[in-house]
């Protein structure tokens, strides 16, 4: 094997990680810092130092990642690495259970159910137990299975999961728990395992059979774990069980990119690694090969406010580049147009597929999708449904189409499918009777299906009224909501947010026909969903964007209740994950980063209401970005930075980071305060170190940083 010139291809930190082959090593790999290159070169280094490939265990989160690393390492080493055990945690666990399963009582071998099989068992158990019989609001088998899986991976009680993540399903908690017990009993009786069982049964094998654990510890002298920040509790325990007394284990990851708690991942695995493995050598990869230094200055500030973290400061040799922009549109509707204008501007020098718009939740891109469609700009969306493809949006728009055009047969078919007792043939007959005035048939059908008469009366009233687009939508929203809750019992709260966006978009129209025309201008080609397509802007949730990068990134809806989400505002751990999500989003950008912070957002029954900027934006020093504001007459103008104070007027507090001296003065209080937008509010609680939960009359409960509140003297 040729000698590999490590010094030539690696920076100093990467080289240190590659050359440290003994004992526990934790590599904190900042965004864009060459993590994969480091893993690949270390694999080659191990083999170069006479470690047999079959003694190396590489655990990753996708088979593709493991194969890529092994292929590159083999090419580098000039020899095959086929003996390396590389793959996912689940695949490795399955292999060990197949080999030693009889020690756990699986004498006939290990049978793994796929997702379809598991859903079939859930259905069978539900029917056998008579759970939710005749109750159309009971969650579907797939949703029940997902909830059980989430409880298993988070190692929390199922009812706790329902309370914190699916409160609308709490009335069904007892029934779901009955199914959970029956599901586990069914698997045990028939010797079946599902995907989640693989890790837990493998852990049982290692704990209860010391001889097997010792064999594997001796077999795999060197462990390497990729994306360690994404491991869950049982995966963390498996790493400890497999590491052995010498603990030649290298974990690679970034605590700042741990954003999958909803899947069961815990950032504590990487934060506690040095405690779990005494004597750990911590190596930080801080040189970024993706972004310009101005972008990294901003992302370092986001990370600097985290409460629990490994300190790091990303830097780049790409010193030059524009500062990130913080753009403040007047509303979330003008935000959509402002983003489109920026895309058009960027497209003069950047291919459309190298421009990405990122958002916290899928529904947040809906106004932007309509705006892109109107200009004929192609896009592809990752994470969340495209606006016009969402089933509940199609349901709702079908009713709007009937208000505008009674001869729209597809709209009749979609709208009437919501009603019990009306199939495709009856629908066509109703359509013909309506157009030809067959009152006798309509009377008979309405008598048989009372819900039909209510629907037709509503549509007639709306069609004959002279109401504007927004009032029509308001009435239809009230009509459709119970249908939506019955039709989509698993996730109707999330779908409701999409309908709120629809109402917001419609508020800008005076004619229903114009609104429907823009809605129908959706791209005819939804895309394959595999890879990035040429000449199409990328729209993506931040979770779906992890691991990717673009020349230009625009991040929208950076306001409280949207980013961070409403639920996270009251939970410190969730707020920390939202901060990490913000960091992930911003570090996707190579050359340009735009942060959009609308002054108002549309809320049903309230119209456009003032909102607070995301605390993650509020914390940013003004030196890290350019600020642009939309004027009342339209257009965005750059705001000039305030002149620095004369030295005599400056204080230590002026130079302190935002969360340091200035915010350390925040103290618990039970009185009242004032805010420049929300007015006077009652302080409900103090959230250390520097936030208050305040109830503002007319605006509800808000959580905000102390610097933005003026305390009233008692």
């Amino acid at each position: 094997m040729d000698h590999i010139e490590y010094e030539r291809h690696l920076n100093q930190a990467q080289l240190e990680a590659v050359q440290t082959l003994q004992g526990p090593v934790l590599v904190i790999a900042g965004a864009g810092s060459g993590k994969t290159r480091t893993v690949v070169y270390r694999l080659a280094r191990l083999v170069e130092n006479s470690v047999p490939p079959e003694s190396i265990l590489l655990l990753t989160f996708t088979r593709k990642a493991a194969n890529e690393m092994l292929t590159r390492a083999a090419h580098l080493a000039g020899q095959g690495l086929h003996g390396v055990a590389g793959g996912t945690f689940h695949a490795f666990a399955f292999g060990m259970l197949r080999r030693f399963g009889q020690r756990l009582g699986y004498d006939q071998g290990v049978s793994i159910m796929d997702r379809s099989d598991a859903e079939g068992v859930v259905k069978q158990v539900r029917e056998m137990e008579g759970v939710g019989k005749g109750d159309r609001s009971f969650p579907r088998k797939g949703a029940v299975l997902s909830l059980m899986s989430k409880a298993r991976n988070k190692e929390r009680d199922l009812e706790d999961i329902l309370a914190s993540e699916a409160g609308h399903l709490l009335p069904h908690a007892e029934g779901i728990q009955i199914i959970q017990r029956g599901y586990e009993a069914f698997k045990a009786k028939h010797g079946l395992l599902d995907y989640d069982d693989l890790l837990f049964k493998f852990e049982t094998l290692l704990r209860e059979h010391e001889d097997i654990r010792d064999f594997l510890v001796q077999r795999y002298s060197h462990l390497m774990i990729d994306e360690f920040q994404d491991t869950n509790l049982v995966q963390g325990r498996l790493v400890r069980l497999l590491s052995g007394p010498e603990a030649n284990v290298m974990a690679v990851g970034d605590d700042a990119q741990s954003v999958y708690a909803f899947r069961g991942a815990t950032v504590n695995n990487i934060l506690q690694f040095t405690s779990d493995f005494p004597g750990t050598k911590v190596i930080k990869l801080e040189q970024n090969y993706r972004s310009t230094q101005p972008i990294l200055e901003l992302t370092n500030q986001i990370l600097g406010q985290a409460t629990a973290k490994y300190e790091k400061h990303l830097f780049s040799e790409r010193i030059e580049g524009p500062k990130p922009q913080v753009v403040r549109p007047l509303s979330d509707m003008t935000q959509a147009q402002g983003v489109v204008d920026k895309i058009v501007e960027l497209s003069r020098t950047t291919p459309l597929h190298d421009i990405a718009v990122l958002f916290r939740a899928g529904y947040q891109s809906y106004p932007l999708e309509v705006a892109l469609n109107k200009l004929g700009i192609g896009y592809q969306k990752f994470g969340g449904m495209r606006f016009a493809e969402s089933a509940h949006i199609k349901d709702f728009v079908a009713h709007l189409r009937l208000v505008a055009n009674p001869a729209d047969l597809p709209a009749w078919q979609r709208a009437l499918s919501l009603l019990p007792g009306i199939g495709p043939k009856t629908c066509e007959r109703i359509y013909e009777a309506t157009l030809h005035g067959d009152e006798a048939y309509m009377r008979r059908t309405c008598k048989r299906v009372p819900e039909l008469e209510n629907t037709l009366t509503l549509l007639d009233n709306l069609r004959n009224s002279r109401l504007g687009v927004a009032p029509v939508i308001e009435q239809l929203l009230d009509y459709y909501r119970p249908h939506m809750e019955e039709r989509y019992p698993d996730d109707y709260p999330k779908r409701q947010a999409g309908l709120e966006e629809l109402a917001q978009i419609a508020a800008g129209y005076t004619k229903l026909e114009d609104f429907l025309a823009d809605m129908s201008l959706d791209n005819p080609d939804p895309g394959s969903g595999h890879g990035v397509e040429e000449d199409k802007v990328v729209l993506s949730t931040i979770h779906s964007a992890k691991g990717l990068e673009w020349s230009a990134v625009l991040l929208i809806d950076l306001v409280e209740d949207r980013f961070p989400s409403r639920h996270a505002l009251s939970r410190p751990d969730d707020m920390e994950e939202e901060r990490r999500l913000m960091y992930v989003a911003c570090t996707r950008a190579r050359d340009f980063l735009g942060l959009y912070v609308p002054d108002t957002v549309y809320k049903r029954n309230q119209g456009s209401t003032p909102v607070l900027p995301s605390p993650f934006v509020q914390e940013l020093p003004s030196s890290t970005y350019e600020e642009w504001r939309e004027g009342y007459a339209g257009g965005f103008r750059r705001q000039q930075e305030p002149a620095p104070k004369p030295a005599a007027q400056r204080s230590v507090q002026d130079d302190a980071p935002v969360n340091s001296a200035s915010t350390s003065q925040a103290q618990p209080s039970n009185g009242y305060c004032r805010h420049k937008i929300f007015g006077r509010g009652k302080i409900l609680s103090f959230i250390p170190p520097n936030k208050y939960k305040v109830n503002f009359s007319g605006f509800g409960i808000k959580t905000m940083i102390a610097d933005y509140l003026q305390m009233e003297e008692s």
Side-chain angles (χ1 to χ4, degrees):
M1 179 171 63
D2 296 333
H3 176 69
I4 301 170
E5 298 181 7
Y6 295 97
E7 293 84 355
R8 179 181 171 188
H9 300 287
L10 302 169
N11 64 39
Q12 196 59 43
Q14 291 171 333
L15 185 63
E16 184 181 7
V18 166
Q19 293 179 336
T20 305
L21 305 182
Q22 301 298 316
V25 183
L26 176 61
V27 178
I28 301 298
S33 62
K35 175 202 68 167
T36 300
R37 170 181 288 261
T38 304
V39 172
V40 166
Y41 272 79
R42 189 174 191 269
L43 281 168
R45 178 74 170 182
L46 284 168
V47 176
E48 187 182 57
N49 278 261
S50 302
V51 175
E54 59 271 17
S55 297
I56 303 171
L57 174 59
L58 171 65
L59 295 175
T60 63
F61 274 81
T62 66
R63 184 168 50 187
K64 179 181 177 182
N67 290 340
E68 178 190 350
M69 290 176 180
L70 291 174
T71 299
R72 287 174 57 180
H75 177 75
L76 190 64
Q79 70 177 74
L81 298 181
H82 301 297
V84 174
T88 66
F89 275 89
H90 290 84
F92 181 70
F94 182 42
M96 295 301 101
L97 289 173
R98 288 179 62 185
R99 183 171 181 178
F100 302 110
Q102 71 278 4
R103 300 288 291 274
L104 293 178
Y106 297 106
D107 297 327
Q108 304 301 317
V110 178
S111 296
I112 303 296
M113 298 187 294
D114 61 19
R115 176 81 185 191
S116 177
D117 295 332
E119 287 184 2
V121 173
V122 169
K123 181 175 183 290
Q124 187 173 339
V125 170
R126 177 184 172 180
E127 292 173 349
M128 185 171 58
E129 298 288 349
V131 174
K133 191 172 183 180
D135 184 354
R136 295 169 67 98
S137 69
F138 196 87
R140 294 177 175 85
K141 57 187 179 183
V144 172
L145 184 64
S146 294
L147 288 166
M148 295 192 306
S149 176
K150 185 170 289 190
R152 190 86 186 278
N153 281 295
K154 291 190 173 188
E155 300 185 32
R156 288 166 53 191
D157 183 75
L158 181 57
E159 190 166 5
D160 182 33
I161 293 293
L162 288 172
S164 61
E165 302 183 30
H168 63 290
L169 296 178
L170 267 175
H172 302 297
E174 184 178 353
I176 297 173
Q177 288 172 319
I178 291 172
I179 293 175
Q180 182 185 43
R181 291 191 292 269
Y183 177 77
E184 295 299 327
F186 185 97
K187 288 188 299 179
K189 179 179 179 180
H190 298 281
L192 298 171
L193 300 178
D194 62 19
Y195 188 69
D196 297 328
D197 288 326
L198 295 174
L199 300 183
F200 290 98
K201 293 298 182 183
F202 183 38
E203 180 187 20
T204 300
L205 181 71
L206 295 178
R207 289 191 183 281
E208 295 183 356
H209 300 279
E210 189 174 348
D211 58 326
I212 296 176
R213 183 174 71 250
D214 290 343
F215 167 75
L216 292 178
V217 166
Q218 293 173 17
R219 167 74 186 273
Y220 299 110
S221 62
H222 288 76
L223 272 65
M224 297 176 67
I225 302 96
D226 187 29
E227 303 284 11
F228 194 67
Q229 78 279 352
D230 294 333
T231 53
N232 62 17
L233 290 168
V234 66
Q235 288 166 332
R237 294 194 297 269
L238 286 172
V239 170
R240 294 193 289 274
L241 286 167
L242 290 168
S243 61
E246 294 185 5
N248 292 328
V249 53
M250 183 178 88
V252 183
D254 184 5
D255 55 297
Q257 297 186 69
S258 179
V259 295
Y260 291 120
F262 67 95
R263 294 182 185 169
T266 173
V267 69
N268 289 330
N269 279 349
I270 193 168
L271 292 176
Q272 295 173 0
F273 189 89
T274 55
S275 299
D276 293 334
F277 295 94
T280 292
K281 186 173 189 177
V282 179
I283 301 170
K284 300 173 185 177
L285 306 185
E286 297 174 290
Q287 183 170 355
N288 178 283
Y289 294 93
R290 174 186 301 152
S291 306
T292 62
Q293 191 60 37
I295 292 175
L296 296 180
E297 291 299 334
L298 183 141
T299 60
N300 285 334
Q301 290 293 332
I302 295 170
L303 206 54
Q305 302 292 339
T307 57
K309 62 182 183 294
Y310 288 97
E311 293 284 352
K312 59 177 173 291
H313 189 87
L314 297 185
F315 66 93
S316 172
E317 293 182 353
R318 299 181 62 205
I319 303 299
E320 301 298 324
K323 278 188 177 183
Q325 293 181 358
V326 171
V327 185
R328 300 184 186 273
L330 292 173
S331 72
D332 47 348
M333 281 305 292
T334 60
Q335 169 186 254
Q337 188 56 52
V339 169
V340 170
D341 291 343
K342 176 59 72 173
I343 289 171
V344 171
E345 176 190 329
L346 291 167
S347 68
R348 298 183 186 122
T349 56
T350 306
L352 282 175
H353 61 263
D354 208 11
I355 302 171
V357 183
L358 306 183
F359 32 86
R360 178 67 182 82
Y363 74 85
Q364 290 172 276
S365 69
Y366 290 172
L368 179 59
E369 292 178 49
V370 174
L372 289 170
N373 289 333
K374 290 175 72 172
L375 283 184
I377 299 176
Y379 68 88
Q380 55 182 334
K381 184 174 180 179
F382 300 97
M385 289 289 291
R386 287 161 62 104
F387 191 28
E389 292 174 358
S390 304
H392 60 296
I393 298 296
K394 287 183 175 181
D395 290 345
F396 189 82
V397 171
H399 293 80
L400 289 175
R401 285 163 56 182
L402 290 178
V403 173
N405 177 15
D408 189 337
L409 177 58
W412 279 110
Q413 292 169 328
R414 184 97 197 181
L416 297 189
S417 69
L418 301 176
L419 305 181
I422 297 183
K425 290 184 178 179
T426 304
C427 180
E428 287 190 29
R429 185 72 182 87
I430 291 172
Y431 171 75
E432 293 293 337
T434 301
L435 290 186
H436 295 94
D438 189 345
E439 296 181 12
Y441 177 81
M442 293 303 296
R443 280 196 300 271
R444 291 196 304 272
T445 308
C446 287
K447 187 175 182 180
R448 181 173 64 84
V449 185
E451 292 92 339
L452 174 62
E453 184 170 10
N454 296 333
T455 301
L456 297 178
T457 299
L458 174 64
L459 293 174
D460 276 335
N461 291 340
L462 292 176
R463 191 160 61 90
N464 295 327
S465 72
R466 299 196 176 189
L467 295 173
V469 179
V472 167
I473 285 184
E474 286 296 319
Q475 291 194 38
L476 281 175
L477 283 174
D478 291 335
Y479 162 81
Y480 178 64
R481 184 182 296 105
H483 290 287
M484 180 180 67
E485 293 178 2
E486 182 177 290
R487 195 176 180 94
Y488 309 105
D490 308 333
D491 61 354
Y492 65 79
K494 184 167 66 175
R495 293 178 186 268
Q496 179 66 27
L499 289 177
E500 300 290 347
E501 285 297 313
L502 180 75
Q504 175 209 28
I505 296 167
Y509 289 80
T510 56
K511 292 184 178 180
L512 182 58
E513 292 77 8
D514 293 341
F515 173 68
L516 291 172
D518 286 345
M519 286 291 296
S520 66
L521 287 174
D522 195 30
N523 293 318
D525 175 19
S528 63
H530 302 290
V532 174
E533 298 178 70
E534 296 289 323
D535 298 323
K536 289 188 176 182
V537 174
V538 174
L539 309 183
S540 176
T541 61
I542 301 168
H543 284 102
S544 297
K546 188 171 181 290
L548 304 176
E549 60 183 73
W550 295 272
S551 177
V553 168
L554 311 178
L555 185 55
I556 63 173
D557 273 359
L558 288 172
V559 296
E560 282 195 0
D561 287 359
R562 293 195 174 185
F563 197 170
S565 67
R566 181 181 297 109
H567 300 297
L569 288 169
S570 59
R571 301 176 189 154
D573 288 347
D574 290 353
M575 274 294 286
E576 286 303 295
E577 175 144 334
E578 295 282 306
R579 178 184 300 282
R580 296 193 293 269
L581 199 59
M582 176 80 169
Y583 171 79
V584 167
C586 294
T587 53
R588 301 308 96 198
R590 292 195 298 268
D591 307 305
F592 178 84
L593 175 63
L595 309 178
Y596 285 76
V597 189
D599 290 334
T600 63
V601 299
Y602 178 87
K603 294 183 179 180
R604 186 167 175 250
N605 298 325
Q606 297 180 38
S608 291
T609 61
V611 286
L612 282 174
S614 167
F616 309 136
V617 175
Q618 292 183 15
E619 293 166 352
L620 293 173
S622 60
S623 60
T624 60
Y625 60 84
E626 295 177 358
E627 182 171 356
W628 292 71
R629 281 191 179 274
E630 182 180 16
Y632 288 124
F636 291 86
R637 293 185 180 181
R638 183 179 175 184
Q639 305 298 294
Q640 298 301 316
E641 293 185 27
K645 295 179 182 179
Q649 297 180 22
R650 300 175 69 196
S651 66
V652 174
Q653 183 170 326
D654 289 326
D655 286 328
V658 171
N659 233 0
S660 180
S662 61
T663 56
S664 65
Q665 297 176 6
Q667 297 293 331
S669 173
N670 294 316
Y672 289 86
C673 64
R674 298 196 70 84
H675 184 270
K676 63 181 180 180
I677 294 177
F678 299 111
R680 190 170 188 259
K682 166 70 175 174
I683 296 175
L684 302 180
S685 62
F686 172 67
I687 303 174
N690 67 324
K691 293 178 183 171
Y692 289 97
K693 183 175 288 188
V694 185
N695 189 7
F696 292 100
S697 177
F699 294 98
I701 297 174
K702 305 285 183 183
T703 302
M704 54 189 61
I705 295 173
D707 289 354
Y708 294 88
L709 299 173
Q710 181 180 355
M711 301 299 167
E712 290 188 359
E713 295 183 6
S714 55

